[in-house]
């Protein structure tokens, strides 16, 4: 098999996979990894995949190849595709699933990309890694950098990240920098730090990270024994939705699935440049200066992957639209109460999006539908407590308990 290359998504210029690059040197657009698929035998590959447990590295034939003897891994991926009996019944959908990627080692899908990204960092021989983060990327990078023995710097928007995520980055020993600004300011600084100080970037502009993330699409197809009809997914920077589309497309090209799902990209009303572009019907975004939403993981005003994402969603024949913070929190509660899954607000935006699609009759109730739950609810205990009824204080007596239960 040939080696993979890096290719500019706009002008098509190719670069060696051993160059440290995040954007095209002639036109400035992002790069993607092109895995050679011509010589792949689907029957052989199917056999190989089926002989291994479900996980990111189960699919290593379709992932970047490294000179390492083994990847830096904590067994990421292999997350449940939860069949939603109760929620499905309530919404009148027969085949509704939640891909619970909050079940990854550090509690979000970021681990799928990070196992590939950190392995690549070692492969390239870098010593220092950096990211900007609304929280989950920093938690994941801190953990994987620790495992790989690399020095890790994470930049978070000061005072704006959920407590669980912050505690992870700190506990795993990253240098945590609270940038006075929002996520977009932090990412600008990261890009500069890479140019000026040679730090290796592990945000989703790193072309190797989406490679790991695309395995979630492979897993869903393998878990369903075919592609779903619709995939509903939160969109922040847009790296994940583009990665899913890359995964479905590659599986299709190899001949491991027929067809591919429409992708619905969900944004929070106060942070929705991609949804706005779809509303206007243009392939261009207008960045939002001060994004606002309870779903901090998608609180992004200037999504770095906007071009990849808009194209991915369009090619899938899907669309992007917004949900409100109230809809997000109410979907989060609904999933927790009907399905037993505790997912963070950003993750719940996919279910809020589904409810809207059903309401507008934009989606058929007979479809096979997958909502992606990108992160675990324990990441953001503050917002969960704020959204819930207070605990009821009682005297330790059976009479007090009886009074409460009789209400
Ligand atoms: C990172 C993240 C997102 C957004 O993913 P993008 O690739 O930036 O679109 C959504 N939900 C959670 C929980 C995340 O951690
Ligand atoms: Zn280019």
């Amino acid at each position: 098999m040939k080696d993979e290359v890096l290719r500019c998504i706009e002008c098509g210029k190719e670069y060696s996979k051993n160059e440290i690059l995040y954007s095209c040197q002639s036109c400035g657009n992002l790069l993607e990894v092109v895995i050679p698929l011509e010589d792949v035998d689907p029957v052989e590959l199917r056999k190989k995949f089926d002989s291994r447990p479900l996980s990111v590295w189960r699919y290593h034939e379709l992932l970047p190849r490294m000179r390492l003897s083994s990847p830096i891994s904590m067994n990421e991926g292999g997350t449940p595709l939860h069949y939603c009996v109760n929620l499905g019944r309530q919404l009148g959908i027969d085949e509704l699933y939640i891909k619970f990627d909050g079940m990854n080692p550090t509690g979000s899908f970021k681990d799928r990309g990070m196992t590939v990204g950190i392995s690549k960092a070692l492969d390239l021989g870098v010593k220092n890694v950096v990211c900007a983060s609304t929280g989950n990327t920093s938690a994941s990078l801190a953990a994987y950098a620790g495992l790989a023995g690399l020095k890790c710097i994470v930049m978070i928007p000061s005072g704006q990240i959920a407590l669980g995520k912050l505690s992870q980055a700190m506990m795993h020993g990253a240098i945590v920098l609270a940038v006075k600004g929002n996520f977009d300011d932090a990412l600008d600084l990261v890009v500069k730090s890479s140019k000026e100080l040679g730090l290796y970037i592990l945000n989703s502009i790193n072309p190797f990270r989406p490679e790991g993330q695309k395995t979630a699409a492979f897993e869903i197809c393998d878990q369903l024994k075919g592609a779903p009809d619709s995939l509903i997914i939160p969109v922040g920077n847009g790296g994940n939705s583009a990665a899913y589309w890359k995964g479905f497309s590659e599986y299709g090209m190899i001949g491991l699935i027929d067809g591919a799902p429409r992708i619905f990209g969900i944004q929070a009303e106060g942070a929705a440049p991609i949804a706005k572009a779809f509303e206007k019907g243009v392939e261009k975004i207008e960045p939002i200066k001060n994004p606002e939403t309870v779903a901090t993981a998608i609180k992004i005003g200037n999504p770095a992957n906007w071009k990849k994402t808009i194209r991915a969603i369009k090619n899938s024949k899907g669309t992007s639209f917004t949900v409100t913070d109230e809809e997000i929190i109410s979907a989060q509660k609904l999933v927790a109460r009907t399905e037993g899954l505790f997912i963070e607000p950003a993750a719940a935006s996919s279910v809020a999006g589904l409810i809207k699609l059903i309401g507008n009759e934009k989606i058929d109730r007979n479809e096979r539908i997958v909502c992606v739950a990108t992160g675990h609810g324990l990441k953001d205990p503050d917002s969960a407590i704020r959204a819930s009824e207070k605990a009821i204080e009682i005297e330790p007596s059976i009479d007090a308990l009886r009074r409460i239960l009789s209400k």
Side-chain angles (χ1 to χ4, degrees), residues 347-361:
S349 68
S350 62
V351 176
L354 168 66
I355 292 168
K356 215 164 162 180
L357 285 166
I358 291 283
N360 301 340
E361 300 182 354

Side-chain angles (χ1 to χ4, degrees), residues 8-13 15 24-29 31:
C8 172
I9 61 161
E10 189 64 37
C11 75
K13 186 162 180 198
Y15 301 89
C24 176
Q25 290 180 313
S26 30
C27 76
N29 278 281
L31 305 172

Side-chain angles (χ1 to χ4, degrees), residues 108-110 136 234-240 297-298 300 344 346-347 374-375:
S108 83
F109 76 82
K110 301 297 196 299
N136 282 330
V235 174
N237 259 306
N240 208 33
I298 52 172
I300 286 161
E344 68 168 285
T374 42

Side-chain angles (χ1 to χ4, degrees), residues 188-226:
D188 282 346
L189 183 57
V190 160
V191 172
K192 283 188 191 123
S193 78
S194 157
K195 283 202 187 100
E196 309 269 328
L197 310 172
L199 308 180
Y200 187 65
I201 304 178
L202 275 162
N203 279 93
S204 55
I205 58 171
N206 181 312
F208 291 94
R209 250 193 54 192
E211 290 305 295
Q213 290 171 207
K214 77 184 179 188
T215 61
F218 299 160
E219 286 185 9
I220 289 171
C221 294
D222 290 355
Q223 287 169 309
L224 290 175
K225 306 215 180 315

